Amino acid sequence: MRARRFFPLFFLVLSIALAPLRAQLVPLEVLTLPVEEWTIRLRHADELLRTGRWSRGRGEAEGLIKQMRRVQAQGEGFAELVGQAVAMRAIGAAGLKEMPAAAWDTAAAQAIGFDWKTLRLSAYGEAGARIRTELDSLATVDTRIRYVEADGEIVRPDIRNRKDFVYPAALRVQRINGQVIVESVIDERGVVRRPKILNPGKAHPLLVLAVLDSLRDWRFEPAQLNGKAMAVYYVLTTNLRVEE
């Protein structure tokens, strides 16, 4: 009998160095955490979502994220704060049954540093149940993706559409650079799923979010094995820096 052979899943690594255009940098007031306005906005988003006002709750969370990108802030807990805003955005999408967006933000919030266990998901009704399903999926190892049993060659996925990264204005002013390494899955349709940060804590959370918000919209020609599309892991290494 012919021996069965297992080939480790192909890991595609793409490195991109980003050098934002030079711009006049205007000093801004630096806020110290906790920022009362941000706390109020997060609480408001949470209240909207708990009462089923999904679109307004998600809009409030997105508005807060935009404000965080513009305003300099310092202090402990910034990653958790950004992650919580993304989590609120995920719950809003789940309430609206926009599950691709909800699934991505569920994983993104966790990747940035938010602990989903701090939320009682049952308080959000069916939306919370949908988020719980996504979290359970993230915790499950899909062996169909991790390993492939085959004799043929893998054709690498190819980028079809790519959305540029947007460098956060607050970090541009502070000249904060960083490297973000993201592992994700490119599925059989060429859609990017299940983002995970491989170098957690090494880059500012707003840089991490900038990469994740861009990568979610990338599309690929899927990988192929013996002419058949297959899901593979994809590793993106991004170096973000402000030009001197």
Side-chain angles (χ1 to χ4, degrees):
M1 179 180 295
R2 187 175 181 180
R4 298 173 68 188
R5 294 190 294 162
F6 288 82
F7 291 79
L9 178 65
F10 162 70
F11 283 82
L12 175 64
V13 180
L14 175 65
S15 297
I16 297 179
L18 299 181
L21 297 176
R22 288 187 175 91
Q24 183 177 2
L25 304 180
V26 180
L28 300 173
E29 178 185 2
V30 179
L31 303 179
T32 300
L33 296 178
V35 179
E36 183 178 4
E37 180 184 352
W38 292 359
T39 302
I40 292 172
R41 294 194 70 173
L42 266 179
R43 187 181 300 121
H44 185 218
D46 185 57
E47 290 173 353
L48 289 169
L49 295 169
R50 286 172 182 264
T51 53
R53 289 173 283 180
W54 311 117
S55 184
R56 288 184 60 191
R58 182 172 65 171
E60 183 68 22
E62 181 60 36
L64 175 57
I65 290 170
K66 290 179 179 178
Q67 188 176 22
M68 290 175 176
R69 288 183 174 127
R70 294 193 306 267
V71 180
Q72 297 182 71
Q74 61 186 8
E76 294 184 4
F78 193 82
E80 291 83 357
L81 192 65
V82 175
Q84 186 176 356
V86 176
M88 295 294 104
R89 197 169 69 176
I91 294 170
L96 294 168
K97 299 181 181 180
E98 297 178 8
M99 290 316 298
W104 182 270
D105 275 344
T106 298
Q110 185 168 275
I112 292 168
F114 179 68
D115 183 0
W116 279 99
K117 293 178 181 178
T118 61
L119 287 183
R120 186 167 59 88
L121 291 175
S122 60
Y124 306 96
E126 291 185 3
R130 295 183 186 111
I131 295 294
R132 170 55 58 199
T133 298
E134 294 299 330
L135 289 169
D136 290 344
S137 175
L138 290 173
T140 302
V141 176
D142 190 337
T143 56
R144 294 170 301 175
I145 299 175
R146 191 168 295 275
Y147 290 100
V148 177
E149 180 184 311
D151 292 321
E153 294 183 356
I154 294 176
V155 177
R156 299 185 177 194
D158 187 39
I159 298 174
R160 188 171 62 211
N161 292 306
R162 190 177 82 184
K163 178 181 177 181
D164 290 336
F165 303 97
V166 179
Y167 205 99
L171 303 191
R172 185 190 294 269
V173 171
Q174 298 177 79
R175 295 190 176 278
I176 293 178
N177 305 319
Q179 182 182 78
V180 181
I181 305 176
V182 186
E183 176 191 271
S184 59
V185 172
I186 301 174
D187 68 16
E188 296 87 345
R189 298 171 298 150
V191 176
V192 189
R193 300 188 294 107
R194 298 171 66 115
K196 177 182 178 181
I197 302 301
L198 296 184
N199 61 334
K202 300 298 184 181
H204 194 284
L206 288 180
L207 290 182
V208 175
L209 181 58
V211 172
L212 293 177
D213 275 356
S214 171
L215 187 59
R216 71 189 298 169
D217 292 325
W218 288 29
R219 292 296 179 267
F220 292 78
E221 293 296 334
Q224 293 189 15
L225 181 65
N226 297 330
K228 184 177 180 180
M230 61 175 291
V232 297
Y233 280 107
Y234 176 84
V235 177
L236 174 73
T237 299
T238 309
N239 296 297
L240 300 102
R241 64 185 180 84
V242 179
E243 284 190 344
E244 297 294 338

